[in-house]
Amino acid sequence: LIFLLLQTKFIYSFENKIIFKIGNDSFTSIDYEKRKEYILFVGDNFDLNKSEILDDFINVNLFFKHYINSKNKVNLDNEVNSIFKKIINSKNNSNLKIEPNFEKNIIYNLKLDLIRKKIIESYLEAKKNEIFNLDEGINILYTFNVQYININKDDIFSHRKNLEKIKLKNINEIEK
């Protein structure tokens, strides 16, 4: 019995709960923890709260589901590996040892983020004419005809030079 107790290692476990589903795919608390580890590893994200991480987790998986169902699949492995190497190099620790499972998690989540980025870029590229189309309808929003201006009389004297730069015939026009 003593031998058995000495040979026993502590095992940490927690209940694996389903957090949300997208179609037939379930996402669990273990998946969430892996995403959280990734987010904390790749950047200075220690101030993110659980809700923000969960929103990101849901968001990135919605984009991934869209990518899986789309016809525009591309091989992102080279780009993901390049980004992964840059992150590792940025850690300023040449002796950084990464466990294989942790590395797989980081690479998988990098791929998810890259897919989200590519989908958003593609959508914005397709809609850029609509987004940046500055026709007269939009310009009307920025055309103003000022009929009244309220200024405290004491402020007129303290801001006299600025007011004179405004195309007024006479500063007394404002005092009325």
Side-chain angles (χ1 to χ4, degrees):
L1 184 62
I2 293 174
F3 179 73
L4 183 61
L5 289 174
L6 292 175
Q7 293 298 324
T8 305
K9 295 181 182 179
F10 290 103
I11 299 174
Y12 297 99
S13 69
F14 61 94
E15 190 175 345
N16 190 16
K17 297 179 181 179
I18 294 175
I19 300 174
F20 66 95
K21 286 184 170 191
I22 300 175
N24 292 330
D25 297 329
S26 298
F27 298 90
T28 66
S29 53
I30 290 176
D31 299 324
Y32 168 82
E33 288 300 322
K34 287 180 179 179
R35 181 70 182 175
K36 182 178 172 182
E37 286 176 355
Y38 160 76
I39 288 173
L40 295 175
F41 182 77
V42 296
D44 185 21
N45 298 310
F46 295 99
D47 59 340
L48 295 177
N49 62 41
K50 184 176 181 174
S51 175
E52 291 168 323
I53 295 171
L54 182 60
D55 287 347
D56 173 72
F57 182 49
I58 293 169
N59 180 287
V60 78
N61 280 294
L62 286 169
F63 276 95
F64 184 65
K65 187 72 168 178
H66 173 76
Y67 172 78
I68 294 299
N69 294 331
S70 75
K71 296 174 185 163
N72 299 329
K73 294 184 182 76
V74 288
N75 187 347
L76 301 171
D77 293 340
N78 291 337
E79 194 170 352
V80 168
N81 288 328
S82 173
I83 294 168
F84 177 73
K85 288 176 184 174
K86 287 178 184 176
I87 292 169
I88 296 302
N89 290 338
S90 73
K91 293 295 180 185
N92 296 328
N93 187 347
S94 58
N95 297 327
L96 185 64
K97 302 277 192 245
I98 298 178
E99 294 178 23
N101 286 339
F102 186 70
E103 182 176 335
K104 286 179 187 176
N105 178 44
I106 299 301
I107 289 173
Y108 174 74
N109 279 285
L110 279 171
K111 185 174 182 179
L112 292 179
D113 279 342
L114 191 57
I115 287 169
R116 174 173 52 187
K117 177 183 179 262
K118 297 284 184 185
I119 290 171
I120 291 171
E121 286 176 346
S122 173
Y123 179 78
L124 290 175
E125 182 66 30
K127 299 289 184 179
K128 78 177 178 184
N129 289 338
E130 292 175 37
I131 294 169
F132 295 109
N133 187 8
L134 299 175
D135 63 2
E136 288 302 314
I138 293 174
N139 288 335
I140 291 174
L141 292 174
Y142 301 105
T143 304
F144 298 101
N145 292 323
V146 178
Q147 294 179 354
Y148 299 98
I149 185 167
N150 293 324
I151 300 176
N152 187 339
K153 200 169 189 177
D154 295 334
D155 290 338
I156 291 175
F157 298 110
S158 63
H159 298 289
R160 186 175 192 99
K161 289 185 181 183
N162 290 334
L163 291 170
E164 287 174 351
K165 289 179 186 176
I166 301 172
K167 296 178 184 177
L168 298 173
K169 295 177 187 171
N170 186 339
I171 194 81
N172 293 331
E173 290 177 10
I174 296 175
E175 292 180 302
K176 292 180 183 176

